[in-house]
Amino acid sequence: MHLVRSSRRARRWTTVLAGATATAALVLLPLGNAQAATNHAPRATALADSCRGVSTVGLYCGYHTGTAWAERGSTGAHVKEIQALINETTRYPQAGGGKLAVDGVYGPATESAVTWFQWYYIGESASDGIVGPQTWDELRYGNR
């Protein structure tokens, strides 16, 4: 089972199950207080394979609903979200990169994974290892 984005503007998600297509249920988060929504999220052990489509966020793994800038040296929940999104929604682990530690530290392994993600899903010109608006958009709404 995997999610496929039907439209970038509509941000609709469709679940594809062995050739059959069905509309996926989306979880709504409050727009006003994104931090409160993440405080009540399940912990990392329960999130291992549960990145899901959320109508107000896009793909969401339970750590961070925003799009904070991230580069080598960054730390925090937004880095955990990046690591989990790459682990659970891309081909990076199967492409020889292995799973990233979802530890919230943007070190060399995370930078390598982000650079690969940008090259593979956005294009070579975007592969700078820095997670800005274009990379967040592809992480949250890109086709995979």
Side-chain angles (χ1 to χ4, degrees):
M1 177 175 87
H2 64 280
L3 295 174
V4 178
R5 182 174 39 109
S6 300
S7 163
R8 185 174 295 250
R9 285 186 191 267
R11 294 187 174 141
R12 291 185 205 127
W13 295 88
T14 304
T15 304
V16 179
L17 295 166
T21 303
T23 302
L26 298 177
V27 178
L28 298 175
L29 292 177
L31 291 174
N33 189 350
Q35 183 61 35
T38 58
N39 287 343
H40 294 77
R43 293 289 164 235
T45 54
L47 291 171
D49 292 316
S50 66
C51 294
R52 63 197 181 279
V54 176
S55 66
T56 58
V57 177
L59 284 175
Y60 171 65
C61 297
Y63 297 101
H64 184 73
T65 58
T67 57
W69 183 273
E71 60 187 328
R72 189 182 250 192
S74 298
T75 59
H78 67 300
V79 177
K80 284 184 178 183
E81 185 74 11
I82 293 164
Q83 293 165 332
L85 283 165
I86 289 174
N87 280 344
E88 303 304 329
T89 68
T90 73
R91 295 183 173 112
Y92 184 73
Q94 296 84 16
K99 283 206 172 217
L100 292 170
V102 181
D103 58 6
V105 177
Y106 198 117
T110 302
E111 183 177 42
S112 177
V114 167
T115 302
W116 173 88
F117 173 84
Q118 292 166 326
W119 171 82
Y120 191 86
Y121 291 103
I122 303 171
E124 188 174 349
S125 64
S127 59
D128 59 5
I130 298 170
V131 180
Q134 182 181 17
T135 305
W136 272 113
D137 187 55
E138 192 63 30
L139 281 165
R140 297 282 194 198
Y141 303 106
N143 289 323
R144 297 191 268 292

